[in-house]
Amino acid sequence: MLKLKEKKIISFLWQYKFFIFICIFCVLLEIISDLLLPIILSNTINIGILNSNVNYILKNIILMIVILFIGIIGSVISTFLASKISNNVGYNIRYKIIKKILNIDYKQIDNLNIGKVITVVTNDISSVENIIFLVLKLLIKIPLILIGSIILCLSISKKLSYILLIIIPLIVIISIIFIKKTYPYFTLTNETLDDINDLLRENITNIKLVKSENLEDIETKKFDKKNTKYKNIDTKALLTLSYMMPIVIFIINITTILILILSKIEIQKGNFLIGNVTAFIEYISLLLQAIMSTSMIFLLTIQSSVSIKRIKKLLCIKEEEKQRGIKPILKGNIEFKNVYFKYNKKYNLENINFKINSGEKVVIIGESGSGKTTLINLIHKNYKINKGQILIDNININKYDINYLKNRIVMINQKPAIFKDTILNNIIFNKSENIYKYSKITLFNKVIEKKENNLNFLIEQNGKNLSGGEKQRLVLTRSIINDFDTLILDDSTSSLDLKTENLVIDNLLKEFKDKTIIWVTNRVTFINKFDKIILLKDGKIEAFTTFDKIINNKEFIELSKMEVL
């Protein structure tokens, strides 16, 4: 795979320098063919046809066929290589972006614009692929065709070549005017497309909520507003561009007519031959085609320049530093000392102090927004604290190897991560483990037995063909299969009915009696099963005690009443 530190697009392109040089060589063959054919045709008319020299005509026809064949071969190979290089560059950029996104820290994930990422990985990179293809095909060809055509036009007729002094600057000025007008539209188009992708993702993700709350009309109007804005901006951009080509073509046609008129005068004076007229028009056509191609490249460059800026922003995302450190055998002791943490300006956790001993079973409770998930994210080192210390087995958490720590402290998030694959691959990720043993602990064995093909049952995207409780039990099974020292459950049984939840908790506490287990929940029903209870309120520890002592706590009583209600 591609391993680059540079953030510039050129660094991805330079990986294929050998193929680029071959592509350039083939383009040169194509250029030579284009420039030689008109002059050979001119000589064939002037010397062969006008003088009825059959041998000269046949000789030149064979020569033209050979040159044409060489030009075609060069064109085919250069097109193939340009396509291959541009597609590979697009592939490598996509890989690099996805790799970066999968390796960013939680803080960057919180600020990540998913709609923008989707647009960049699809639309923007495709735009860059197109411009790379055109650059490889035309960047060398256009300047050489321009220079060659001008030189050959001057060699045929200096008088007629004066037309170029008018036509070339005129087309260049027209191109610049249209480029300046269309640039803002392309920027707005991409930004609006981001908004559409965001809204579309939001609606698809929450489609059941939309339908249950009868929000179809409201969401449709919101989407229609964004879609109409995108359509209007895109239409303005295309409409502005549509004026350019007719104007350029009109200038080219007027130029051709003017050349024919002036050529007739020169022929009548005996200063010009018919073959020269044919060659001159051919070179003028090549010249004007090159100018038009330049305009097209400029227009695509404008669009792709916006895309390149957006791609570079994603490529410049700083990946999470994989902290290297010690890898001792862990016992499961966890201690917070005067810990403070904030996502933005205000502290979300303040002065957090507690100690969990090895093998203890601890439950964290509190109202929504009290900081429960934030606290366990700090244990898993998903975020860095602002003040204080977190100790694992009396050693600062910053001294541990981050990958080793995450493997030994297993954390199960609130939202189950389910992949479109079989139950087997969702649980073990191709590891050889005793699934049935661990699925009995989570009662997921009953789910497996009911499903068609059992472990080979195909789960749909996002687990659509599984219930909420089934998804949570699948993730629980996946997590406990791997050896661990501490198990953290972030409200990971909330979708289970009380009977099933009770059985699953009992099984976990019994099977892993020597392991440290931390259970985050909004329910207080089964907390008496745990050794200690942490009660959080507004980012502060209200109580850290046993069940017998907390039942008289005012905040706990209020929390219990809310559950009953």
Side-chain angles (χ1 to χ4, degrees), residues 474-563:
L474 185 154
V475 175
L476 274 169
T477 307
R478 177 204 298 162
S479 301
I480 64 174
I481 275 179
N482 300 309
D483 186 32
F484 62 86
D485 300 297
T486 300
L487 178 66
I488 302 173
L489 299 96
D490 184 10
D491 209 13
S492 306
T493 56
S494 57
S495 296
L496 303 180
D497 59 85
L498 290 177
K499 181 182 176 182
T500 305
E501 185 179 28
N502 184 35
L503 290 170
V504 170
I505 290 169
D506 283 342
N507 289 346
L508 288 170
L509 297 178
K510 181 181 177 181
E511 183 67 26
F512 303 109
K513 57 186 177 183
D514 297 327
K515 307 286 186 180
T516 302
I517 296 179
I518 300 171
W519 182 41
V520 174
T521 183
N522 288 315
R523 298 176 181 175
V524 298
T525 311
F526 308 117
I527 65 171
N528 61 315
K529 299 174 185 287
F530 289 77
D531 300 319
K532 290 180 181 176
I533 299 161
I534 296 175
L535 174 60
L536 284 175
K537 183 182 180 182
D538 300 327
K540 297 176 182 177
I541 292 182
E542 183 72 20
F544 177 47
T545 184
T546 60
F547 177 75
D548 294 335
K549 293 179 180 179
I550 204 170
I551 54 175
N552 296 318
N553 183 283
K554 182 181 176 182
E555 291 298 329
F556 178 77
I557 293 169
E558 289 296 321
L559 202 64
S560 302
K561 286 180 180 178
M562 288 173 65
E563 184 174 333

Side-chain angles (χ1 to χ4, degrees), residues 201-217:
R201 182 180 61 85
E202 188 180 88
N203 281 326
I204 292 171
T205 304
N206 301 308
I207 191 165
K208 289 182 180 178
L209 176 65
V210 171
K211 293 182 75 66
S212 65
E213 298 290 334
N214 293 320
L215 299 173
E216 293 94 334
D217 291 339

Side-chain angles (χ1 to χ4, degrees), residues 30-262:
E30 196 179 345
I31 293 167
I32 292 167
S33 174
D34 289 341
L35 292 176
L36 284 178
L37 285 173
I39 201 72
I40 295 171
L41 178 62
S42 174
N43 291 334
T44 304
I45 294 170
N46 292 339
I47 299 171
I49 295 174
L50 293 180
N51 297 319
S52 301
N53 190 336
V54 177
N55 289 332
Y56 186 82
I57 294 169
L58 290 173
K59 178 181 154 186
N60 275 13
I61 288 172
I62 293 169
L63 180 61
M64 287 172 70
I65 291 170
V66 170
I67 292 171
L68 182 63
F69 182 75
I70 291 170
I72 291 170
I73 294 295
S75 178
V76 169
I77 294 173
S78 63
T79 301
F80 170 76
L81 289 175
S83 178
K84 182 181 177 67
I85 292 165
S86 61
N87 287 333
N88 282 344
V89 168
Y91 165 82
N92 288 331
I93 294 173
R94 286 188 187 95
Y95 170 79
K96 191 76 174 177
I97 287 173
I98 294 302
K99 187 185 174 191
K100 273 189 170 289
I101 288 170
L102 292 175
N103 286 281
I104 60 177
D105 58 35
Y106 270 63
K107 198 163 188 178
Q108 287 177 303
I109 291 170
D110 294 339
N111 297 322
L112 196 64
N113 185 325
I114 304 299
K116 185 176 180 178
V117 173
I118 293 169
T119 306
V120 168
V121 172
T122 54
N123 189 62
D124 289 337
I125 292 178
S126 294
S127 177
V128 170
E129 285 178 3
N130 291 335
I131 197 66
I132 288 172
F133 176 82
L134 287 173
V135 164
L136 290 172
K137 281 288 292 178
L138 301 176
L139 187 65
I140 300 296
K141 186 175 180 179
I142 288 174
L144 292 179
I145 288 288
L146 283 169
I147 294 166
S149 297
I150 291 169
I151 292 170
L152 290 167
C153 281
L154 286 168
S155 67
I156 294 169
S157 173
K158 289 182 180 179
K159 286 183 179 180
L160 289 179
S161 297
Y162 287 134
I163 295 172
L164 300 177
L165 296 174
I166 301 170
I167 188 72
I168 293 174
L170 185 60
I171 293 177
V172 168
I173 290 167
I174 290 169
S175 299
I176 290 170
I177 291 169
F178 278 97
I179 285 166
K180 283 186 174 181
K181 283 190 174 183
T182 53
Y183 183 79
Y185 291 126
F186 286 121
T187 306
L188 283 171
T189 297
N190 283 344
E191 288 174 358
T192 310
L193 193 60
D194 287 345
D195 293 338
I196 288 174
N197 281 330
D198 269 334
L199 189 61
L200 190 62
R201 182 180 61 85
E202 188 180 88
N203 281 326
I204 292 171
T205 304
N206 301 308
I207 191 165
K208 289 182 180 178
L209 176 65
V210 171
K211 293 182 75 66
S212 65
E213 298 290 334
N214 293 320
L215 299 173
E216 293 94 334
D217 291 339
I218 294 171
E219 292 302 317
T220 302
K221 286 177 182 177
K222 281 167 65 178
F223 184 82
D224 184 57
K225 186 178 178 182
K226 299 281 184 186
N227 201 25
T228 302
K229 183 182 176 183
Y230 177 80
K231 181 195 73 174
N232 292 338
I233 294 168
D234 202 40
T235 302
K236 285 179 182 178
L238 294 173
L239 192 63
T240 305
L241 287 178
S242 68
Y243 296 138
M244 179 179 168
M245 293 312 294
I247 293 170
V248 172
I249 290 168
F250 175 77
I251 293 169
I252 290 170
N253 289 333
I254 293 295
T255 303
T256 305
I257 293 167
L258 188 61
I259 289 168
L260 289 171
I261 293 169
L262 294 173

